[in-house]
Amino acid sequence: MVCALVEPMYAREVRDLADCGDLRFSALKMNPQDIEDFKIDELSDLYAKRAPRLWSLLGSVLKARKRGTSLLLQSGPIAASSSGDLVEHPDNDEARLEGAGRQRSISNSSQEEKSVSLLQIKKSVIVSIVLQSTNQKANTFASFLGVFLHSCRTPQRVVNALARMGLTVSQSCIHTAINSLSLNASLTLRELGQSRCIALAYDNFDVDLKVSVPVVEKSTETLKHLTSGLVFPLQHGVTSDDLRYSDYLWQRSEVNLDNLGALGNRKTHKDLMRLFREPDDKPLDSHAEFNIWVFLRDLVENVEGFEYMRGKIEAPKSIEQLPVIKTDIYPAYAMDVNNSTVAGNIQAIERLMEQVGYGDPS
């Protein structure tokens, strides 16, 4: 009799939560910013606000060994239920499975916070499965988990099994999301290239393409030499006008083939140093003073016997100090180029510049 009364109540909360527009996600329009903004804690708070009875029920079921009051009867907002969940420590059987025989360096408060976080994740996963079963468009958690599984190179059979359980979306939906991410990443690199205020970096990496069943007739080199690239915008107010001198320097550069044999014995700023003789009592420049400060700091902090000098070493003077700014990094497509040779380096630079829209458009 009681079940017949409470079942419609829980079903109504699930339907209302499944129809919530904030939980509907389209893999066709996924962009990198969506992945950066996704937080499981925010998803848990949304579940707790929109379906408080279901959220409280899951908390009681997952903590069946502990006696306690319902979250609905506790004081305070339901959205902050994570702070009200009292989680007991694992019993002896669970502790042995987790290797509790060794000495633990984690405090009780840290262990309790970890247990509360794990409980929130379990409740969010269960609610996500229920929502996707009710409405396939309510697949926010499943979509992001599918992208994560793809990034971890999870076998297709495992992904298919998890999709049938309702934990993730199908393979076709995951591929659609990856294609959308790839397209948005390409457009972002082009937009950064148009600003002309970016820096490019590349490096080599190796991939071992292992073969499950090696055959002598088809044996090939499995080690693949590839090149990765990074693009990051210049900070500290750098504009394209600040880089106009690059053409001027290139026209007068010795490595420019157009200037081959034309510069002759042209004097440079290095020749000016020969006109002056530095006096023996010349004061130290900023570089030398900084190196001395670093040496003294390391000596006091890392060598025994110099503890009494701590706090007595003055910090070096700041000269045009630049503020610390977080720099966003945008990865470029991996390139099938071996940059261990001169030709490979040239090819890597050309392909990296092509990704940001530099070079010959033809």
Side-chain angles (χ1 to χ4, degrees):
M1 184 65 180
V2 177
C3 294
L5 294 176
V6 298
E7 282 180 0
M9 178 179 60
Y10 290 120
R12 183 171 59 254
E13 284 192 348
V14 172
R15 287 194 301 267
D16 295 341
L17 190 60
D19 295 336
C20 178
D22 297 336
L23 297 177
R24 296 189 178 185
F25 189 80
S26 175
L28 187 61
K29 299 180 180 180
M30 178 178 284
N31 57 73
Q33 190 64 34
D34 294 333
I35 298 180
E36 295 180 2
D37 295 340
F38 176 76
K39 293 180 177 60
I40 190 67
D41 295 337
E42 296 180 357
L43 193 64
S44 301
D45 294 340
L46 180 61
Y47 289 162
K49 290 180 180 179
R50 297 297 183 91
R53 296 180 179 85
L54 178 62
W55 192 256
S56 176
L57 174 64
L58 292 177
S60 301
V61 172
L62 292 175
K63 298 184 301 179
R65 291 189 178 185
K66 179 176 177 60
R67 294 181 180 179
T69 59
S70 173
L71 295 178
L72 296 175
L73 302 179
Q74 297 178 4
S75 60
I78 298 178
S81 61
S82 60
S83 61
D85 290 344
L86 298 178
V87 181
E88 63 178 357
H89 295 290
D91 57 8
N92 295 333
D93 295 336
E94 295 175 347
R96 281 194 293 269
L97 292 176
E98 296 180 1
R102 62 181 183 274
Q103 184 179 3
R104 294 186 177 182
S105 59
I106 304 177
S107 61
N108 293 333
S109 59
S110 300
Q111 183 66 29
E112 185 173 342
E113 292 177 358
K114 180 180 178 181
S115 301
V116 171
S117 300
L118 291 177
L119 181 63
Q120 295 294 98
I121 294 176
K122 293 177 182 178
K123 293 161 67 175
S124 300
V125 171
I126 295 175
V127 175
S128 299
I129 295 175
V130 174
L131 292 180
Q132 190 184 24
S133 178
T134 305
N135 188 350
Q136 292 187 354
K137 294 182 179 180
N139 59 353
T140 300
F141 175 81
S143 299
F144 286 101
L145 181 60
V147 175
F148 172 75
L149 295 175
H150 179 84
S151 64
C152 297
R153 297 187 299 175
T154 305
Q156 184 174 355
R157 293 182 179 179
V158 177
V159 176
N160 292 336
L162 295 177
R164 294 180 182 274
M165 298 176 188
L167 285 170
T168 183
V169 292
S170 61
Q171 282 280 356
S172 59
C173 187
I174 294 176
H175 294 162
T176 301
I178 297 301
N179 292 334
S180 177
L181 290 173
S182 178
L183 178 60
N184 282 278
S186 178
L187 295 177
T188 301
L189 294 180
R190 291 279 178 170
E191 293 177 358
L192 290 173
Q194 292 177 1
S195 67
R196 305 183 68 86
C197 293
I198 59 175
L200 306 178
Y202 67 94
D203 196 5
N204 65 299
F205 69 97
D206 299 329
V207 176
D208 190 8
L209 303 176
K210 297 181 180 180
V211 181
S212 58
V213 182
V215 182
V216 178
E217 292 78 3
K218 298 182 180 180
S219 60
T220 57
E221 181 66 29
T222 60
L223 188 62
K224 195 71 173 178
H225 304 284
L226 305 176
T227 301
S228 62
L230 292 177
V231 180
F232 49 94
L234 301 178
Q235 303 291 341
H236 303 99
V238 177
T239 62
S240 58
D241 294 337
D242 299 331
L243 306 177
R244 286 185 175 181
Y245 64 87
S246 57
D247 293 335
Y248 178 85
L249 294 178
W250 175 246
Q251 293 174 3
R252 291 158 180 78
S253 175
E254 296 180 355
V255 297
N256 190 348
L257 297 180
D258 296 338
N259 297 331
L260 187 62
L263 297 178
N265 297 326
R266 187 176 179 180
K267 301 297 182 180
T268 64
H269 67 281
K270 297 181 180 179
D271 297 317
L272 296 176
M273 306 301 296
R274 304 175 184 176
L275 301 178
F276 302 95
R277 180 181 178 183
E278 298 180 357
D280 297 335
D281 57 347
K282 177 185 176 182
L284 297 176
D285 56 9
S286 58
H287 296 85
E289 291 181 354
F290 180 76
N291 291 334
I292 293 175
W293 176 81
V294 172
F295 175 80
L296 293 177
R297 182 200 61 183
D298 296 340
L299 186 68
V300 172
E301 294 181 356
N302 302 319
V303 180
E304 296 182 359
F306 293 90
E307 294 83 359
Y308 68 95
M309 294 185 60
R310 290 185 178 178
K312 298 181 180 180
I313 302 178
E314 297 182 358
K317 298 180 180 179
S318 301
I319 302 176
E320 297 183 3
Q321 182 178 4
L322 297 177
V324 179
I325 298 178
K326 180 181 178 181
T327 302
D328 296 327
I329 299 178
Y330 300 87
Y333 290 104
M335 296 164 282
D336 188 7
V337 175
N338 184 6
N339 60 9
S340 60
T341 61
V342 176
N345 275 276
I346 296 175
Q347 190 176 7
I349 295 175
E350 290 178 348
R351 292 193 180 183
L352 184 58
M353 295 182 67
E354 182 181 354
Q355 293 188 41
V356 297
Y358 293 168
D360 188 0
S362 60

